[in-house]
Amino acid sequence: GIVTARFDAINLDLVLSGDRQANDVTVTSNALNGISVTGNNGTSIRFNNQLTAAGTPVQITFGQIRDISASLGNGDDVFLMESQEPTTVRNLTVWAGQGNDSVAVQEFANSKLDITGNLHINTESGNDRVDIIATDAIDVTGNVIILTDAGNDAVGLIDNAKFGAVVGANLAATVANIR
């Protein structure tokens, strides 16, 4: 598959759009003052009209990013957001589309992930897996919304004692109401 990455320098938004194929993409905050986007397992990344081969990270440097949005389309998609450095974003939204999808948000030690708005994950129908993995701290100021729709789905809140303040959201109620 091909995932198109677009960075809006005015609004400071990263938008990822997948095709109808199986897409596997990793978004990583890193020490280079930015985000890298890497296609895995045959997924290429198109950025600035250039197609980058699978396994080759595309570095997007910024001072501050506000929103990360991924719409991967139908297919058996994999999305991983890795916070390897302290990272603040306003909203993180992932729409995986129909298919057997896997979505993970992972924060590594000493790399606190602050989401000052909402964390919204929708995997639609299929046998899906969603994992939120907190090693140090994941703080969500807004709502945490995880929708998996029809299928044999699993949601993991791994080391959820490390979750910071989920202000304005009841994480337990949100997870209990997965449909």
Side-chain angles (χ1 to χ4, degrees):
I2 297 174
V3 171
T4 300
R6 182 177 58 82
F7 181 67
D8 180 340
I10 294 171
N11 294 314
L12 304 175
D13 299 336
L14 174 63
V15 178
L16 305 173
S17 302
D19 57 18
R20 294 177 181 241
Q21 304 299 313
N23 295 300
D24 185 336
V25 64
T26 301
V27 176
T28 306
S29 66
N30 54 48
L32 299 175
N33 193 31
I35 292 279
S36 65
V37 179
T38 307
N40 308 302
N41 298 314
T43 298
S44 299
I45 303 297
R46 178 177 286 127
F47 180 67
N48 287 338
N49 295 319
Q50 294 185 348
L51 194 62
T52 303
T56 304
V58 174
Q59 182 65 33
I60 302 170
T61 303
F62 63 91
Q64 173 66 38
I65 196 163
R66 293 200 328 202
D67 293 337
I68 297 174
S69 175
S71 179
L72 299 178
N74 295 339
D76 298 339
D77 301 314
V78 176
F79 176 87
L80 172 61
M81 168 69 190
E82 297 179 319
S83 176
Q84 294 184 352
E85 294 290 324
T87 303
T88 300
V89 297
R90 182 175 56 189
N91 295 301
L92 174 58
T93 305
V94 180
W95 295 87
Q98 296 178 1
N100 300 326
D101 305 312
S102 175
V103 176
V105 177
Q106 182 171 9
E107 172 273 333
F108 292 93
N110 301 316
S111 64
K112 184 177 177 184
L113 174 60
D114 284 319
I115 301 173
T116 61
N118 299 316
L119 170 61
H120 189 170
I121 298 171
N122 187 336
T123 60
E124 296 189 10
S125 63
N127 299 327
D128 305 315
R129 173 95 194 165
V130 176
D131 288 306
I132 310 297
I133 305 161
T135 304
D136 189 27
I138 296 178
D139 288 340
V140 180
T141 303
N143 294 309
V144 176
I145 302 166
I146 300 171
L147 301 171
T148 60
D149 216 356
N152 199 4
D153 306 313
V155 174
L157 301 176
I158 300 168
D159 204 4
N160 61 359
K162 303 286 185 172
F163 278 82
V166 183
V167 178
N170 183 337
L171 185 59
T174 302
V175 173
N177 291 320
I178 293 172
R179 43 177 180 122

